[in-house]
Amino acid sequence: MNKQIMIDAAKCTGCGLCQVLCSLSKSHQFNPSLARIKIWREETRGVFIPLTCQQCVNPPCVNACLMNVISKDPITGVTVRKTENCIGCRACQIACPFEACSYDHLLNVVVNCDQCGGNPACVNICPFGALQYLPVNEALNTCRDAEAVRRANL
Amino acid sequence: MRNIVIAGNGAAGNSAAEAIRRHNQEVKIVMVAKENLSAYSACALPDYLSGWVGREQLFIKQEADYARQSIETLWGRTINKIDTQQQCLVTDWEEVKYDQLILATGSRAIIPPVPGSDLVGNFVVKTLNDIEVIIQHQPQQVLVIGSGNIGIEVAEALHGIGCQVTVVELMDHIFPRLFDPEPASLIEKMLTEHGIRVFTGEKLLAISGKGIVQEAATDQRTIRCNTVIWAVGVKQNIEYAKAAGIKIGDMGGIQVNNRMRTNIENIYACGDCVESWDRLTGSKTLSLLWPNAKRQGEIAALNCLGNDIEYDGAISMVVEDIFGVTAVSMGMTSNDLGEGDIDILEEQGLNQFRRVLLRNDQIMGMQAVGVTSGLGAVMALMKNRTTLSEFRHIISDPDLRRKVPWYWPAARLLDDFTNCRQGE
Amino acid sequence: MKNMLMIDHHKCVGCKNCEMVCSLVHEGICASSLSRIRVAKDERAGWNVPISCVMCEKPLCVTVCPVGAASRNPVTGLVTFDEQKCIGCRQCIQVCPFSHANFNQALGVAFKCDQCEGEPQCVKYCPSGAITFEPLEIALHQRRQETAQKIAADTLI
Ligand SMILES: Cc1cc2nc3c(=O)[nH]c(=O)nc-3n(C[C@H](O)[C@H](O)[C@H](O)COP(=O)(O)OP(=O)(O)OC[C@H]3O[C@@H](n4cnc5c(N)ncnc54)[C@H](O)[C@@H]3O)c2cc1C
């Protein structure tokens, strides 16, 4: 697993463009309910939290699946599904802490983010940088450097 | 070369085989099973019955997959005996030598000795073959005995293909092991509204007919039917193991330790045929669920390969689709916990219901009808044994709360209850 | 908690011996990316900052972990990750305020400082004494003395 969609909820304004683009690229419709990324909206608090697949290495959804259709792609490390065999039972949804399994009501199967094969539409469109597609360790290094600068300058 | 033999080609057996192959390419794996089919998911059988999925879709593995993973398959064999001295498995065809043996023979559905339960037209739902014979029988008026998840799923499936379906349940509410009476009655209402007749607190006394099922008598009424489906429970397939001296627990499953080892050296067991324990309470349980069978298979396999990995117990999680409305039960029910010392938080809306069961401030179970979002997060909190006070502490701190994104969906589910009942 | 890993980055020379020894004792190879302690450095600006776990009293990694793999021992105060339970979702890495929690790409699990069962090897092999492992009171006393000396020196001149 090299890159991950990193979420910085503090930057999310809840505009929903990510969902629109996701549904367009995956289901050819402008329809947020078909998106594989969700925005958890707490409008009264002004909080918007994008939620999407965290690409766990050993994901709970794999264990929960009653049809054994979910697996980790051995090369990309992305959590992939053989949707032909999915019966839409939603067990994976209940097993995922991150609300990352979406019910595709056109195909009656459950789906998750596949990072668009390495060029995620949601990240490309996000106007505020709340979503970033970065190698995990590189992102970590950047954060660590920032922390080091903070300490060095104290 | 080391030879690992796996008895059973279900969820547990295949999960074990795959875990072995993931970590070790060398050992020889032999799978032995009674059914002459590659692995399929029993959970989708009701969907196959209703026509929602095709026969092909049931299979979780093709014959070629076994070959690709160099797993030798011996299908169509019934295991009769284990010779623990010679380390070999005796089937009705041959003797299979093993260095290590993983038992995953699952369970079989039972038909109690009610008069008339041997007539043509009595069925169970456990294997693919069971479904095929039901379809051949052309059910019209169907009586489903038992309202666990299998009973209700089958009732819905048969209703969907035009049968007139009646469900009879001995206990006072449907889903007696999965839901509390209130959510169960809401589900019951949905079923009845769609035309499935449900009779709870009723005992089936006899089935009658001339060679073929025609009528069933309960303690309250007689019901005309040409088909009776038994969904009253299962029995573990362990007779051969018991005869070999493998310890069987009080509940009728193979006794295993937390490494999925039996009392006999080099023999492991996993899946429906074992007696495990509940992760939340530690009490003995026969889990009978697919995800638990998979996890147990994996643990047995890894320990078989010489690792030392602990199984942390079974957890119950069942999702039901009731005419398009999702009903979820996870963890324990009030009945499991014993009413006295639990707190109940609940909220009821139109065709919506959620209830959280707490003991000592810890989430022990949740039942939800018509709600799905946030349940995964609650499941995680439940497994983590996060107390409700800890959780509330975090969500009441705006800074902290923002840092743990997945708490938000849980917060919406665990907040704003109108009805809170405290235990004594 | 008895001893505390104290890092005085002013004393760090940026040799990264700590990274080498840490990854060697934990993973059997010398590899910065597998070291628990990491030294961030900016040679032009002239600083080296070793970063390791501060063993928070209320660790965010423990809160955010959805599978209970991260835990804090209430007696010793040690915050540890259980590799067997870890599902590799990297929430701890994203949430750690000090960017300490790290990820092992090969095994797919998060890892962090475990203070080497009470004998941190980074401390033992730090040539400049930038990392120490001592009771909080002693460390504080030391710092207080150093600060006092500095103030005294400044005001006396
Ligand atoms: C209709 C239905 C719906 C279900 N729905 C759900 C659901 O929604 N969610 C859920 O979690 N679970 C569900 N389950 C339960 C789930 O299917 C089981 O928990 C799971 O299949 C157990 O797997 P297993 O490998 O332990 O046993 P099984 O799948 O029963 O496999 C047993 C294997 O052993 C073989 N075998 C048995 N005896 C012998 C012998 N003497 N000799 C040789 N081979 C033998 C069999 O051929 C078979 O290959 C459902 C089950 C059914 C029947």
Side-chain angles (χ1 to χ4, degrees), chain C residues 28-120:
Chain C
I29 51 166
C30 290
S32 285
S33 64
L34 293 176
S35 167
R36 275 76 183 140
I37 190 166
R38 294 297 294 273
V39 183
K41 59 200 296 179
D42 183 335
E43 291 184 351
R44 232 188 287 162
W47 52 250
N48 307 296
V49 181
I51 292 180
S52 188
C53 181
V54 297
M55 304 287 169
C56 304
E57 294 278 317
K58 291 179 187 161
L60 275 172
C61 52
V62 174
T63 305
V64 82
C65 178
V67 291
S71 61
R72 178 176 183 274
N73 182 322
V75 181
T76 62
L78 210 62
V79 179
T80 47
F81 290 173
D82 182 342
E83 269 187 30
Q84 276 183 22
K85 285 191 185 159
C86 177
I87 56 169
C89 68
R90 310 177 202 81
Q91 300 300 297
C92 47
I93 291 155
Q94 294 179 44
V95 82
C96 175
F98 310 107
S99 303
H100 166 64
N102 207 334
F103 193 68
N104 184 329
Q105 296 279 2
L107 300 179
V109 291
F111 63 91
K112 68 177 292 300
C113 171
D114 58 358
Q115 299 191 337
C116 302
E117 284 163 11
E119 265 183 72

Side-chain angles (χ1 to χ4, degrees), chain B residues 357-382:
Chain B
L357 303 171
L358 299 155
R359 186 157 74 189
N360 301 328
D361 204 25
Q362 210 168 293
I363 304 170
M364 300 299 283
M366 172 140 196
Q367 294 156 34
V369 181
V371 190
T372 51
S373 96
L375 288 175
V378 175
M379 181 82 169
L381 293 169
M382 183 165 83

Side-chain angles (χ1 to χ4, degrees), chain A residues 24-36:
Chain A
L24 177 68
S25 76
K26 293 298 173 199
S27 309
H28 309 287
Q29 282 191 13
F30 289 116
N31 184 346
S33 71
L34 287 166
R36 287 126 198 256

Side-chain angles (χ1 to χ4, degrees), chain B residues 134-149:
Chain B
I134 294 175
I135 295 173
Q136 265 170 24
H137 178 74
Q138 297 182 335
Q140 279 141 13
Q141 302 93 13
V142 183
L143 179 63
V144 177
I145 318 285
S147 67
N149 65 329

Side-chain angles (χ1 to χ4, degrees), chain A residues 66, chain B residues 7-13 32-35 40-46 77-80 104-107 125-127 149-150 153-154 237 240 270-273 287-291 293 317-320:
Chain A
L66 300 182
Chain B
N9 180 27
V32 185
K34 194 192 272 177
E35 285 166 88
Y40 59 87
S41 174
C43 311
L45 290 177
R77 269 60 159 190
T78 304
I79 298 162
N80 294 321
T105 43
S107 54
V125 178
K126 179 71 192 153
T127 63
N149 65 329
I150 297 181
E153 282 173 30
V154 168
N237 292 323
Y240 66 95
C270 51
D272 275 12
C273 64
S287 128
L288 308 178
L289 292 174
W290 184 267
M317 183 199 84
V318 175
V319 189
E320 293 296 324

